[in-house]
Amino acid sequence: MIPLVAGPRPLVMGVVNVTPDSFSDGGEWFEPEAAIAHGRELIAAGADLIDVGGESTRPGAERPAVEEELRRVVPVVRALAAEGAVISIDTMRACVAGAAVEAGAAIVNDVSAGLADGDMAALVAQAGIPFIAMHWRGHSTDMQSRAVYDDVVDDVCRELRQRVEALQESGIRAEDIILDPGFGFAKTAAHNWALLNRLDEVVALGHPVLVGASRKTFLGRVGQPPGADPRPPAERDLSTAVTSFHAARCGAWAVRVHDVASTTEALDVADALRTSGTEEGA
């Protein structure tokens, strides 16, 4: 089973979007066969676990019907889990999470931290599995209108602590709660950079931390002239790898990325720096 204690090197969570409208890959893995094949590729590239999701959470995205989300994710979870992969189900719906767990998912990754579905916490508590709780202020259709903070890091940490308390009251064990600061969710570019810069404060909350900045728009603006469009998502993997390197230095538990190979190389560099001058790194 995947350890829930942050080690010297973050785990790598590979992303499989079984959606037609993901911001990061434009539906390239929408059909189950393609999604399963992509999951295998990510594992071969070094992914420690695979995050399977059937609902796009890009700004402005509409939610799919429950039946459609189930149709998208359950065959992919079942196939990859049967091959020994550790699967995280990325969903805000308790019924989808339950079906995925029955199909072999070992972790529930809920970007709403249980706020979108009142049955989610009880389901996870009964299953006794890890739960990734992301900082969330509303659905994709209007979340950016809620990107208002006094101090984004202080506010995010306070709201995450509140969710941890509520989740524990619902029966989820403290040791099963993983936190995600929610890069890009009700956050401006400035908010995202502040969270990255002070990531150690999120880690200091005392729970494993997942960093999911991969291919986000704020990374696509790095190096672009003022007013220019951001680089396309597929051209943001180098910037993503740098954030993974930074996450490693801050003590993150895992990084959620679309391109596993570049992040694995960045983490190899972090390892080399960490062990330089020691017998291990000699």
Side-chain angles (χ1 to χ4, degrees):
M1 181 57 189
I2 289 291
L4 294 185
V5 177
R9 177 188 178 111
L11 301 174
V12 178
M13 174 186 283
V15 179
V16 176
N17 290 316
V18 195
T19 59
D21 55 349
S22 170
F23 85 95
S24 62
D25 51 40
E28 189 171 355
W29 321 115
F30 181 46
E31 294 303 324
E33 295 80 6
I36 294 165
H38 185 52
R40 292 171 180 148
E41 291 169 354
L42 294 174
I43 293 167
D48 299 293
L49 58 161
I50 300 296
D51 193 44
V52 178
E55 175 180 351
S56 174
T57 51
R58 62 177 174 77
E62 297 289 341
R63 306 195 71 187
V66 174
E67 295 77 13
E68 174 61 13
E69 187 179 353
L70 286 165
R71 185 197 69 79
R72 294 175 183 179
V73 300
V74 171
V76 180
V77 170
R78 181 177 293 113
L80 292 175
E83 296 175 9
V86 179
I87 303 298
S88 166
I89 178 63
D90 181 355
T91 184
M92 290 182 277
R93 289 170 166 147
C95 63
V96 175
V101 170
E102 289 182 6
I107 299 173
V108 173
N109 179 13
D110 181 355
V111 299
S112 80
L115 289 168
D117 187 333
D119 294 329
M120 180 67 85
L123 181 141
V124 173
Q126 183 175 7
I129 60 176
F131 183 64
I132 301 171
M134 195 192 79
H135 178 262
W136 188 80
R137 284 188 166 183
H139 287 290
S140 299
T141 49
D142 66 349
M143 65 181 177
Q144 290 310 103
S145 67
R146 306 181 188 195
V148 180
Y149 302 89
D150 292 325
D151 179 296
V152 65
V153 180
D154 289 346
D155 292 351
V156 166
C157 286
R158 183 184 67 256
E159 291 170 27
L160 284 174
R161 283 194 297 268
Q162 291 170 348
R163 286 309 300 152
V164 168
E165 292 174 3
L167 292 169
Q168 288 184 255
E169 289 173 1
S170 297
I172 299 179
R173 299 180 303 174
E175 58 267 32
D176 283 338
I177 299 174
I178 300 160
L179 300 179
D180 179 342
F183 293 100
F185 288 79
K187 314 286 191 307
T188 65
H191 295 148
N192 292 325
W193 287 117
L195 281 165
L196 271 176
N197 188 44
R198 294 165 58 188
L199 187 62
D200 58 325
E201 296 180 41
V202 182
V203 173
L205 293 175
H207 292 267
V209 172
L210 173 67
V211 173
S214 181
R215 294 184 176 177
K216 299 288 185 178
T217 300
F218 77 103
L219 296 180
R221 296 192 184 282
V222 173
Q224 295 293 89
D229 291 336
R231 296 187 308 279
E235 295 179 15
R236 303 171 191 169
D237 290 330
L238 177 57
S239 298
T240 297
V242 175
T243 67
S244 297
F245 179 93
H246 175 67
R249 301 296 289 265
C250 291
W253 166 75
V255 289
R256 180 182 183 275
V257 299
H258 298 84
D259 183 69
V260 168
S262 58
T263 273
T264 298
E265 185 172 350
L267 296 180
D268 288 342
V269 173
D271 280 349
L273 284 169
R274 178 176 54 81
T275 60
S276 63
T278 66
E279 182 176 347
E280 179 185 354

